[in-house]
Amino acid sequence: MKALCSFLLLTSAPFLAAKEPFKPNLGPDLPSITVRCGEVTLMLRQSSQWTPGRIDYRGTPMTTEKSAYGTVFSFPEIGFIGTQHLENEPEPLTSLSFFLDGRELTEPVAELSGDHFRFVRRSVIRDFELQCEIEIRDGRLFETTTVRTEKAVPLKLVYHFMHAWTPTVDAYLAGSDGKSEERIAGPFLDTPEEARKFHVRQKVDWVAVREPASGQYAVSRLLEAPENAQNVSMIWNVPGTYRKYYLKCFDNDTVPAGFAGTWKMVTAFGTADASGWEEGAKSLAASLAEQN
């Protein structure tokens, strides 16, 4: 079996015509890889181009498998390309690399456990080169996406760090450093009036959600982002399906020629009752500012 870190050329005409997800040489019985590092579990799935399929904390799913994760581009007159969106064009992957506790895995198996996991995924979407890295360490999930293009490319939008939080999530909270008095918060309601409504819709430093059945909450903090990319946080409320987070960038904008930019987000978790979760989330968000 060839090492997964080798550069895989997948841009042949038959591949493009088939619009099939890339299937690296991991064996016919490996549709997903589940990684457990302490209290955080991450599932990566083949069907969505080896992007996340679910995130668990302390054994409880905090997200749903019924959605796409990672980064997706939307092009004028074409639509979405990337991750699980294979309806228009494929996203040719060029390499995958897996590392567990500092050791590269050339033949990963379906179940992995350790203290530290890192996954590097490289791909091409039209004129863009992508490198998406996921790391689990110290009970936290780090996601880093780097985008490069030599050409100027008009876009409808880019979504980074898509997280399909479970539909049982019932509340959100968001904030920015130096704006402690500004409260962006509210419940997620399953009413017809609230269905498919976007919440937050601002440029913020962090966003948190609460899952009441487990008493757990998640805080996602943006650690790095290009200033000219807009970087608007949104959560889409689709009752019964998910409360989905998006970092929207380049909204009806053109990515300039020669662009090279990196986005980095960390997600951490906590536990609190209904009356204490907001203070816990704010405290956790402040501590995440020191991450790198």
Side-chain angles (χ1 to χ4, degrees):
M1 184 180 291
K2 295 182 179 179
L4 291 176
C5 62
S6 62
F7 194 84
L8 302 172
L9 297 177
L10 298 169
T11 55
S12 63
F15 174 77
L16 292 174
K19 296 187 178 180
E20 288 290 330
F22 168 56
K23 297 181 179 180
N25 192 16
L26 299 179
D29 299 321
L30 199 60
S32 65
I33 295 173
T34 299
V35 184
R36 295 177 178 83
C37 292
E39 297 179 323
V40 177
T41 300
L42 173 69
M43 187 262 279
L44 299 166
R45 62 185 172 193
Q46 185 183 82
S47 63
S48 61
Q49 301 281 72
W50 294 104
T51 55
R54 200 181 70 243
I55 304 167
D56 300 352
Y57 179 62
R58 293 182 175 176
T60 297
M62 293 294 286
T63 67
T64 175
E65 296 181 34
K66 298 178 181 179
S67 191
Y69 291 72
T71 290
V72 66
F73 291 76
S74 181
F75 294 86
E77 301 179 359
I78 298 169
F80 287 110
I81 303 175
T83 184
Q84 195 169 335
H85 286 279
L86 299 168
E87 64 271 20
N88 296 311
E89 288 183 14
E91 175 190 3
L93 302 188
T94 55
S95 70
L96 301 175
S97 301
F98 300 81
F99 302 86
L100 185 66
D101 293 336
R103 181 173 61 89
E104 184 169 6
L105 306 178
T106 57
E107 298 184 13
V109 293
E111 301 283 337
L112 299 173
S113 296
D115 296 322
H116 179 201
F117 174 76
R118 187 166 69 93
F119 169 61
V120 182
R121 174 186 183 273
R122 295 182 177 89
S123 64
V124 176
I125 295 179
R126 294 209 152 198
D127 293 311
F128 294 104
E129 295 180 1
L130 279 72
Q131 177 171 305
C132 300
E133 182 173 337
I134 297 175
E135 187 176 13
I136 309 173
R137 56 180 166 87
D138 303 324
R140 292 167 181 180
L141 178 70
F142 295 83
E143 298 169 272
T144 305
T145 298
T146 299
V147 175
R148 295 182 176 86
T149 180
E150 295 300 321
K151 300 180 181 179
V153 185
L155 291 175
K156 292 181 68 175
L157 57 82
V158 179
Y159 285 142
H160 290 305
F161 308 131
M162 296 186 293
H163 294 167
W165 300 114
T166 175
T168 58
V169 160
D170 71 344
Y172 65 92
L173 178 69
S176 295
D177 298 339
K179 298 182 179 181
S180 58
E181 300 302 318
E182 182 179 349
R183 190 172 186 272
I184 307 171
F188 290 113
L189 302 177
D190 293 341
T191 62
E193 295 77 14
E194 290 291 311
R196 308 184 79 81
K197 183 177 180 180
F198 283 96
H199 296 273
V200 185
R201 301 181 68 177
Q202 295 187 38
K203 186 175 182 178
V204 294
D205 290 319
W206 57 269
V207 175
V209 296
R210 184 183 86 107
E211 202 293 304
S214 62
Q216 298 178 169
Y217 57 86
V219 179
S220 296
R221 184 179 185 99
L222 191 61
L223 299 176
E224 180 181 350
E227 286 295 327
N228 61 343
Q230 301 173 10
N231 306 312
V232 172
S233 289
M234 309 189 307
I235 307 178
W236 194 25
N237 179 25
V238 183
T241 302
Y242 48 55
R243 325 292 193 184
K244 187 167 182 177
Y245 174 82
Y246 304 84
L247 183 70
K248 182 170 69 170
C249 306
F250 294 110
D251 185 13
N252 290 310
D253 200 359
T254 295
V255 181
F259 177 84
T262 296
W263 291 259
K264 186 173 184 177
M265 175 170 279
V266 58
T267 299
F269 304 89
T271 303
D273 59 23
S275 63
W277 89 272
E278 288 194 4
E279 286 305 314
K282 289 178 183 178
S283 177
L284 181 55
S287 70
L288 293 177
E290 305 301 320
Q291 293 294 296
N292 52 44

